[in-house]
Amino acid sequence: HPGEYNGEAEDNGNVVSREQDRPTPSTGPTTATTDTEAKVTATVEQPRPTKKRKKSKKKTQITFEQFEAISNAIATYLRSLENDSNVSMGENDEGKLGSATATPKKYVTWGEVVEWYLEQCEEQIGDSLEELERMRKLTNLVIRRLIDVDNILIRIGSSEAATSREEEQLTRIAVHPNFVA
């Protein structure tokens, strides 16, 4: 049809195929001298490598309500521990320390928070090991997001992110001081 590009160009009424003008696929960059040639070379497909492809990660999706429920439960739990430690340290109503025998705050680890949350969801999980692992993974993902993206939780005593899952579980965490639930 007129006006449609089919890989051929007319040259004074004669049809000239661009197949012979196309460069062969190479590993280096190709240079085009004209716009028409650039369009033609852009349609050439490079051979695909025959290497085994990595397995694509399956995305975990949850509703906002689920995320909010998990994050609020964790933040409330951590704040209650923080408030309990303030009271046990002898802090009075004005926020001043009342005794010299105050002990430093004890922060909980990431793993302890996950275990606490899983205990709270024990009825929902039931006896299913698959559901337990799914909830553990979900809770870890939510905590990771609360630390890295939302900045609701902070790492205590470490300036860098943990390099392995085991180190991550040993990281002490707390609610950011500026977070208001």
Side-chain angles (χ1 to χ4, degrees):
H1 296 295
E4 237 182 72
Y5 180 73
N6 60 3
E8 300 175 345
E10 287 192 30
D11 185 16
N12 295 332
N14 298 328
V15 176
V16 179
S17 173
R18 292 281 186 191
E19 291 295 325
Q20 59 191 337
D21 295 339
R22 288 185 185 173
T24 57
S26 65
T27 57
T30 59
T31 57
T33 56
T34 65
D35 288 340
T36 307
E37 199 173 314
K39 290 177 186 174
V40 171
T41 57
T43 60
V44 174
E45 291 185 21
Q46 297 293 328
R48 295 183 183 221
T50 58
K51 295 180 182 178
K52 292 181 180 179
R53 293 185 181 187
K54 293 182 180 179
K55 292 182 180 179
S56 60
K57 291 184 178 180
K58 183 180 177 185
K59 283 194 171 188
T60 303
Q61 293 184 338
I62 61 172
T63 64
F64 179 73
E65 289 79 19
Q66 289 174 314
F67 172 78
E68 197 171 46
I70 296 171
S71 61
N72 284 337
I74 290 171
T76 303
Y77 171 67
L78 291 173
R79 275 281 159 88
S80 69
L81 290 177
E82 183 180 311
N83 290 338
D84 290 347
S85 72
N86 286 343
V87 170
S88 69
M89 283 177 39
E91 189 174 285
N92 61 18
D93 291 337
E94 289 96 36
K96 297 178 183 173
L97 291 177
S99 69
T101 61
T103 57
K105 290 182 183 179
K106 180 196 174 284
Y107 294 103
V108 294
T109 64
W110 182 320
E112 292 170 344
V113 173
V114 171
E115 290 304 317
W116 171 84
Y117 186 74
L118 292 175
E119 287 174 11
Q120 303 306 306
C121 298
E122 195 170 6
E123 289 180 16
Q124 180 184 350
I125 295 171
D127 293 335
S128 172
L129 289 176
E130 292 84 21
E131 182 67 14
L132 176 68
E133 285 307 310
R134 188 187 76 78
M135 285 299 289
R136 182 183 310 277
K137 177 183 174 187
L138 198 64
T139 306
N140 280 315
L141 289 172
V142 168
I143 292 174
R144 194 170 297 117
R145 179 181 169 93
L146 292 175
I147 292 172
D148 297 335
V149 177
D150 298 334
N151 296 319
I152 291 173
L153 301 180
I154 56 174
R155 290 180 172 91
I156 303 296
S158 65
S159 60
E160 296 181 14
T163 55
S164 70
R165 300 287 186 224
E166 292 80 26
E167 288 178 12
E168 192 175 72
Q169 294 297 313
L170 298 174
T171 303
R172 292 179 297 159
I173 59 176
V175 179
H176 193 286
N178 294 339
F179 174 71
V180 179

